Amino acid sequence: MANQERNTEATDDAIMSSSSDYNLYLPMDIIFDILNRLPVKSLLRFRCVCKTFRQLISNPTFISSHLLHHRTPITTATIFTFTHRTTTSLSLLQSPSSSQNPINLVHPFSNHTRNLHLIGSINGLLCLCLCLSNHPLHCHRRSLLLLWNPATKLFKSLPSPTIQIPSGFFHLSYGFGFQFHSSTSSSDYKVIRIVSFNLQTRVEVYSGISDCWREIQVMDLRFYSHKLSCEVIVNGAPYWLLPNPSNHCICFTWFDVQNEAFVMLPGLDFSRLYIGTSVHWKLMDWKDNAAVVVCCPGNPFFDVWMIEDHCGGESNWCKKFVIGPVFGVERFCVLQCTKNGEIIVADAWERIFLYNPRNGETKDIPIHGVQFEAFHYVESLVSIEGFRQQELNNQH
Amino acid sequence: MSSSLEKNMLILRSSDGEEFIVPEVVAVMSKAIKNMVEDECASNTIPVPNVDANILAMVIEFCKKHDESEAEAASDLKTFDSEFVNRGQEALYDLITAANFRDVKELLDALCQNVAEMIKGKSVHHIRIQFLGYQLFEILTSNFIWNIWCDRDFD
């Protein structure tokens, strides 16, 4: 039966190629509109319907229009990274509010699971960092960076970075950024690599268009992140935490992808605000704004701080919302705010829950592991020059 | 000259000559008709070529519902939309052509969404038949029958 189906398709192909000017039954803009509404999985299959479909589905205008149509609060999914025993896994939760179970994602180098880090997720592209050496001390000296689209199963290994890590003590951090050139209506994806050693910080940027690393000059940036990845990516710009040993103030910087420069944010001083309590805070993407979410153990409410611009051109942090009470989750901390306004929280035993602030309900998310992180993800057809197909023999 | 009642009503004439009296607010949901009315190139009767009475009646029904239910719950309208567009393939294509040609955005949206839902899980073969028209389908099937016939003759 399957053979027969294949045979008819083969005949169709012959007819397609012999008569290139067949008529589509519907006008082209309607076909565009209909295909625009389809999920990536269907579009990948429909590429072999005919030449017109194939051209349309790989057209950059169609790809960005498709992304725009699907980047809605309801269709934005969440990717979790977590560690179970020594294995780091990626899990995709299509829609947190539905009762669907998370899907395990098989990345292109799935035999390297020990030291896998998800640097960021932008427009359906994931930036992964894999450590090739099993020795913990040499872990970050030999690592592989990947850009990967899990929906189209295409990926690319980035060329080796140029800044060598010296022997001795060092800090290393990566960021992932996106930039849209409105003049040429083209987009570029960039990976930022920050190496700090001997009170010196060097930064290099990989650009998807030029396909190479280039060192940029940074003035006076004291940087020693304890995390391999940036804290959060908001509107395509990665954010990092900056050390400030003098007081209890926390400082942030974000990378302006277009101008390739770091921009400082005002410091947020916790010591005066939360006197006598230990606080757990996290920088996150709160509906396309950078926000600091502060939880205090034992307090069922949490605070959301955002940068507010004042009329004098000055900007400062201010407490925007107090959300809660979150009941039934002991000593919780907030992991992420989903695009449709639900909150992903983890309790003291690293169990994951979904809290809906509209009705106060909490729901268990069935993923088990430790060291959870949550990223926004939207399925897309976005690709980068040099992408190649991922081998799928590891998938069940 | 014209009374207020007439002023608020328009007559649409389908390709097969049937006339429909519809309120102007409903008729102007079609951008094409709206432009005609605004440019004052529309007389009392507006011809709607390429759209037959059957399809025109459907389009008017859709526009009326959307005009009335402006204040109604969005979910009700959504249910109406999904029921409205749930038709046979031929009527669906005629409706799409009419909505596209007359530029009725809401209807076109609902129809495209419906087609997308319909074809989401379909095979490549199905899509070829649906999108590449009956023409190609006929060529394929007639070739197929012809081949069988030939085989029989020479055997």
Side-chain angles (χ1 to χ4, degrees):
Chain A
M1 193 64 205
N3 249 340
Q4 220 167 11
E5 180 90 15
R6 212 165 294 145
N7 272 339
T8 30
E9 290 196 10
T11 351
D12 290 5
D13 266 336
I15 289 167
M16 283 322 147
S17 49
S18 63
S19 63
S20 54
D21 55 343
Y22 55 85
N23 291 320
L24 288 172
Y25 192 70
L26 288 169
M28 205 55 211
D29 49 338
I30 299 293
I31 294 197
F32 188 103
D33 195 340
I34 292 168
L35 294 187
N36 206 18
R37 296 160 192 264
L38 291 176
V40 172
K41 202 179 163 192
S42 307
L43 289 174
L44 293 178
R45 195 166 65 237
F46 294 168
R47 276 184 308 191
C48 43
V49 165
C50 65
K51 206 170 145 192
T52 319
F53 269 41
R54 178 174 284 271
Q55 280 168 347
L56 181 64
I57 292 166
S58 54
N59 181 326
T61 317
F62 176 77
I63 291 174
S64 47
S65 155
H66 180 264
L67 173 67
L68 215 64
H69 188 268
H70 290 262
R71 205 169 44 190
T72 60
I74 305 150
T75 49
T76 302
T78 307
I79 286 189
F80 290 98
T81 65
F82 57 95
T83 308
H84 183 68
R85 293 193 179 124
T86 57
T87 309
T88 307
S89 309
L90 299 171
S91 213
L92 172 71
L93 191 62
Q94 200 52 264
S95 161
S97 40
S98 78
S99 51
Q100 277 177 320
N101 278 338
I103 307 158
N104 188 33
L105 294 176
V106 181
H107 65 84
F109 290 85
S110 46
N111 20 355
H112 293 278
T113 51
R114 245 164 214 280
N115 274 300
L116 168 77
H117 298 271
L118 178 52
I119 307 295
S121 157
I122 302 172
N123 295 346
L125 289 185
L126 305 185
C127 179
L128 295 179
C129 179
L130 293 157
C131 299
L132 299 178
S133 160
N134 276 335
H135 195 283
L137 280 176
H138 298 296
C139 175
H140 299 312
R141 292 185 195 274
R142 273 187 65 229
S143 56
L144 180 68
L145 284 167
L146 286 183
L147 289 181
W148 174 44
N149 183 333
T152 58
K153 305 265 186 290
L154 294 171
F155 79 102
K156 175 182 182 151
S157 325
L158 302 194
S160 307
T162 54
I163 299 174
Q164 296 300 314
I165 298 171
S167 57
F169 194 67
F170 70 95
H171 282 290
L172 179 67
S173 191
Y174 293 102
F176 185 35
F178 166 70
Q179 163 197 13
F180 182 76
H181 302 270
S182 47
S183 53
T184 54
S185 73
S186 61
S187 40
D188 196 6
Y189 293 86
K190 290 183 179 175
V191 179
I192 298 100
R193 182 171 181 260
I194 306 168
V195 188
S196 306
F197 52 94
N198 299 339
L199 297 173
Q200 184 194 0
T201 299
R202 289 174 72 188
V203 179
E204 63 185 328
V205 177
Y206 168 84
S207 143
I209 287 179
S210 67
D211 192 27
C212 62
W213 291 93
R214 196 169 49 81
E215 184 163 357
I216 59 163
Q217 294 307 313
V218 281
M219 301 296 286
D220 224 26
L221 182 73
R222 294 274 303 278
F223 196 98
Y224 27 95
S225 172
H226 293 285
K227 266 181 82 180
L228 190 67
S229 64
C230 52
E231 294 284 328
V232 71
I233 299 167
V234 183
N235 293 324
Y239 283 67
W240 281 272
L241 175 70
L242 282 179
N244 199 337
S246 56
N247 49 31
H248 297 287
C249 175
I250 50 172
C251 290
F252 300 103
T253 182
W254 61 277
F255 187 72
D256 180 343
V257 183
Q258 183 149 12
N259 301 320
E260 299 202 338
F262 286 94
V263 182
M264 295 295 164
L265 287 180
L268 174 56
D269 192 350
F270 280 146
S271 58
R272 282 183 291 124
L273 298 161
Y274 299 93
I275 300 162
T277 52
S278 67
V279 294
H280 180 280
W281 60 267
K282 198 174 186 313
L283 185 65
M284 60 181 74
D285 175 0
W286 194 275
K287 296 175 184 172
D288 295 329
N289 291 297
V292 175
V293 175
V294 186
C295 314
C296 303
N299 185 351
F301 292 88
F302 60 89
D303 302 337
V304 180
W305 292 74
M306 281 187 199
I307 296 260
E308 197 161 72
D309 292 318
H310 297 293
C311 43
E314 223 177 278
S315 55
N316 219 333
W317 290 96
C318 72
K319 199 200 272 188
K320 279 274 183 174
F321 313 107
V322 177
I323 296 176
V326 184
F327 286 131
V329 187
E330 238 175 288
R331 295 176 70 86
F332 70 92
C333 61
V334 176
L335 281 182
Q336 186 64 274
C337 168
T338 69
K339 292 275 180 184
N340 59 353
E342 288 171 309
I343 319 286
I344 299 166
V345 295
D347 71 358
W349 296 273
E350 299 236 33
R351 285 177 306 192
I352 306 293
F353 298 87
L354 190 74
Y355 168 69
N356 187 341
R358 282 183 282 269
N359 55 19
E361 279 174 14
T362 46
K363 214 181 80 183
D364 187 42
I365 298 176
I367 310 180
H368 305 288
V370 291
Q371 292 170 22
F372 274 100
E373 292 213 54
F375 298 80
H376 295 307
Y377 172 73
V378 56
E379 259 193 2
S380 83
L381 291 161
V382 170
S383 70
I384 280 188
E385 196 67 36
F387 255 11
R388 59 194 172 98
Q389 192 71 42
Q390 168 186 356
E391 280 170 36
L392 293 173
N393 43 6
N394 291 321
Q395 209 160 30
H396 312 293
Chain B
M1 294 229 292
S2 51
S3 73
S4 64
L5 181 81
E6 276 175 329
K7 208 177 170 185
N8 292 330
M9 299 302 258
L10 287 174
I11 300 168
L12 304 180
R13 192 197 291 131
S14 69
S15 62
D16 45 358
E18 214 169 299
E19 293 190 341
F20 295 84
I21 305 169
V22 287
E24 195 181 306
V25 275
V26 173
V28 296
M29 282 180 78
S30 150
K31 276 259 184 61
I33 293 176
K34 191 180 178 200
N35 289 345
M36 282 173 82
V37 172
E38 278 173 358
D39 296 346
E40 290 179 354
C41 58
S43 57
N44 280 4
T45 315
I46 298 174
V48 188
N50 302 2
V51 182
D52 67 24
N54 192 13
I55 297 294
L56 187 58
M58 288 185 202
V59 177
I60 292 170
E61 182 200 341
F62 181 89
C63 291
K64 269 190 175 151
K65 180 75 186 178
H66 272 246
D67 180 55
E68 284 164 12
S69 54
E70 204 113 306
E72 261 182 51
S75 60
D76 282 1
L77 204 58
K78 224 169 183 169
T79 339
F80 167 80
D81 281 2
S82 58
E83 277 166 18
F84 179 86
V85 294
N86 195 7
R87 289 168 200 275
Q89 194 170 308
E90 206 161 336
L92 203 55
Y93 285 139
D94 287 341
L95 270 173
I96 290 180
T97 318
N100 186 37
F101 193 60
R102 298 283 107 197
D103 206 354
V104 191
K105 202 189 163 291
E106 290 90 342
L107 180 57
L108 200 56
D109 254 12
L111 289 165
C112 286
Q113 189 57 42
N114 183 47
V115 176
E117 298 290 335
M118 240 168 64
I119 68 172
K120 203 155 67 180
K122 291 270 167 68
S123 73
V124 169
H125 188 65
H126 259 98
I127 305 304
R128 283 181 181 156
I129 295 166
Q130 282 194 323
F131 274 93
L132 308 184
Y134 301 122
Q135 242 177 331
L136 182 74
F137 183 54
E138 274 160 24
I139 295 166
L140 283 173
T141 47
S142 60
N143 266 358
F144 183 62
I145 291 161
W146 175 252
N147 288 344
I148 293 172
W149 188 78
C150 284
D151 285 347
R152 276 202 182 156
D153 205 22
F154 289 107
D155 266 347

